[in-house]
Amino acid sequence: MVQERYPNIQIRSKNELAKQISSFKLPVSDAMALIQDALDNFDNYWHDHPKQSEPEKDKWVRDASGTKLSKIHKLINARVLKPHDKKLPYFIFGGISGKNHKSAAFHLLGNKRKRVLLKLDIKRFYEQISEARVRQFFIQKCHCSEKGAKLLASLCCVPIGQKGTGGVYKTIGRGFAPSSRLAAWCNLDTFTKLEKLVKKELRGKDPRIAIYVDDIGITASRATNEEMIELYNKIKPILMSDKNQTLPLNDSKTKIIHHSGEMYDINRKFLKRKGFEILGIQMNRNSLTPGTKTRWKLVNLKKEIEKRKSDSKNLKIRCKSVLRYKKYIEKDEAKV
């Protein structure tokens, strides 16, 4: 029997959702009360995060921490979505159990040398995924009823833009626990088309693709700028082809980087020489190391510690944290 690509969730009512998120510590009756409370007080349970939001980019991180809505989000994420992570294809990394930015970078290393990296960034990714799209995913792909899909979508989506500005159009909440998984699932058909295109266009060059939330990395061995630009020109219409879910690219963040460090934009213009990096990680020939930003942070912390000497307890704690991160990134992936 062929395994279905999508999760078979089959939630048709509030009671069935309560059953799925219930446990020994959370009886079905308590789960029902929790769901109802989150629905009744939904708008009071979340706000825009004052530090993580980027108003200048119209990116608003939603914060429901410490509320019953946050508890519902964590339960939906852990008990409804997470059990199906293994159904997601190998090239999806962001927000998936057992996968992270390190495993994405390691995957892009590939087996053949002289790699070239095409870095793509989807513009305002979470804001592109509408409540209607989430409902459609649960109904058409996960065998939920319209009532069950509407319930799940209403708990995971908020009006677009700054809270209180009167927006009617709703999207998945940037910062909510289920959002990364929902973003991957709602766009899986499109991402699968990308993977097939990359394999076809870069055949024989050990092509690799890694999708980490809104960041897309593509590497190949001995690829030219022209080949990567041609690939980019074929990727863009695929991301824009679904009229119900367009995914525009941020062209200013599109870069072609050679393993030597030479960086170009999509017009072949040389920009600068920089590390062969993605997701804050430098990809060496056969290994990984923290990217430029982290390495400079470590250098500056050490300088400050030496400068302050006795008055450097907090700096030393921060330095140790960065060193632990460095050790983790540089640890042999095969042993992780």
Side-chain angles (χ1 to χ4, degrees):
M1 182 177 178
V2 178
Q3 187 183 39
E4 287 190 30
R5 175 189 290 180
Y6 286 92
N8 188 19
I9 293 173
Q10 293 194 55
I11 290 176
R12 295 180 290 270
S13 66
K14 195 185 301 180
N15 185 56
E16 289 188 358
L17 175 58
K19 286 179 180 178
Q20 279 213 29
I21 66 173
S22 65
S23 64
F24 177 76
K25 293 183 178 180
L26 183 70
V28 174
S29 58
D30 290 350
M32 280 284 285
L34 184 66
I35 294 168
Q36 192 59 53
D37 184 274
L39 291 170
D40 292 341
N41 299 284
F42 184 84
D43 287 337
N44 297 323
Y45 280 159
W46 67 273
H47 60 272
D48 295 329
H49 197 290
K51 292 183 179 179
Q52 294 181 17
S53 295
E54 299 177 85
E56 69 282 0
K57 297 180 182 179
D58 202 22
K59 291 182 179 179
W60 301 95
V61 177
R62 319 303 189 170
D63 184 9
S65 57
T67 69
K68 291 181 180 179
L69 177 61
S70 177
K71 188 172 182 180
I72 283 288
H73 285 160
K74 290 175 181 176
L75 289 168
I76 290 173
N77 193 41
R79 299 181 184 275
V80 178
L81 298 175
K82 184 179 178 180
H84 306 284
D85 279 358
K86 289 184 178 179
K87 286 181 177 287
L88 283 165
Y90 70 94
F91 56 88
I92 304 290
F93 290 88
I96 309 303
S97 52
K99 293 184 177 182
N100 56 23
H101 68 308
K102 178 184 174 180
S103 51
F106 189 84
H107 171 68
L108 291 172
L109 278 179
N111 296 316
K112 296 182 180 179
R113 300 304 128 209
K114 293 191 176 181
R115 311 291 292 177
V116 178
L117 167 67
L118 175 63
K119 286 176 68 173
L120 305 172
D121 177 84
I122 299 172
K123 192 181 296 183
R124 299 178 69 239
F125 184 41
Y126 289 120
E127 288 77 14
Q128 307 297 338
I129 305 165
S130 68
E131 183 181 31
R133 180 68 166 198
V134 176
R135 287 201 307 269
Q136 181 187 49
F137 160 68
F138 281 120
I139 294 170
Q140 296 183 0
K141 308 293 188 179
C142 304
H143 311 295
C144 294
S145 69
E146 287 191 19
K147 185 177 180 181
K150 184 178 179 181
L151 171 64
L152 286 162
S154 67
L155 286 167
C156 297
C157 298
V158 295
I160 197 168
Q162 184 177 13
K163 185 177 182 180
T165 55
V168 177
Y169 180 78
K170 292 184 178 181
T171 67
I172 59 175
R174 181 184 289 268
F176 286 170
S179 293
S180 292
R181 285 188 169 90
L182 282 176
W185 281 116
C186 286
N187 292 283
L188 185 56
D189 288 349
T190 298
F191 290 156
T192 300
K193 289 178 185 177
L194 289 192
E195 189 259 353
K196 289 179 180 178
L197 175 69
V198 169
K199 280 188 171 181
K200 177 185 175 184
E201 295 297 314
L202 299 173
R203 187 185 295 113
K205 297 179 182 290
D206 186 29
R208 300 293 178 99
I209 179 172
I211 299 176
Y212 187 87
V213 190
D214 56 354
D215 289 302
I216 301 174
I218 298 165
T219 62
S221 177
R222 303 176 188 275
T224 64
N225 285 349
E226 286 68 27
E227 286 175 314
M228 287 305 200
I229 291 168
E230 186 177 347
L231 177 62
Y232 159 82
N233 287 330
K234 291 181 178 180
I235 285 174
K236 202 167 184 178
I238 289 177
L239 291 175
M240 297 296 290
S241 62
D242 188 337
K243 62 182 180 180
N244 296 314
Q245 180 66 83
T246 58
L247 296 174
L249 288 174
N250 190 336
D251 289 341
S252 65
K253 290 186 177 181
T254 298
K255 301 289 184 290
I256 300 169
I257 309 173
H258 292 254
H259 205 273
S260 60
E262 293 179 355
M263 180 187 291
Y264 299 84
D265 66 13
I266 54 173
N267 297 311
R268 302 179 181 83
K269 180 183 176 182
F270 175 76
L271 299 175
K272 57 184 174 180
R273 189 174 290 276
K274 191 181 178 182
F276 193 62
E277 297 181 10
I278 192 165
L279 301 171
I281 297 177
Q282 179 168 306
M283 297 181 287
N284 304 318
R285 182 170 179 176
N286 295 303
S287 62
L288 305 175
T289 193
T292 306
K293 187 175 179 180
T294 301
R295 296 200 304 273
W296 273 112
K297 183 178 181 180
L298 189 57
V299 168
N300 291 330
L301 280 170
K302 288 180 177 179
K303 284 182 179 178
E304 278 295 307
I305 290 170
E306 181 62 28
K307 183 178 177 181
R308 297 193 188 186
K309 297 198 177 197
S310 60
D311 184 28
S312 60
K313 184 177 179 180
N314 289 335
L315 290 172
K316 287 180 179 178
I317 292 172
R318 288 166 58 191
C319 187
K320 285 181 180 179
S321 176
V322 177
L323 285 169
R324 280 195 298 271
Y325 174 73
K326 180 176 182 292
K327 185 178 180 180
Y328 164 70
I329 293 299
E330 293 177 348
K331 185 177 181 182
D332 183 2
E333 180 72 13
K335 298 176 183 177
V336 173

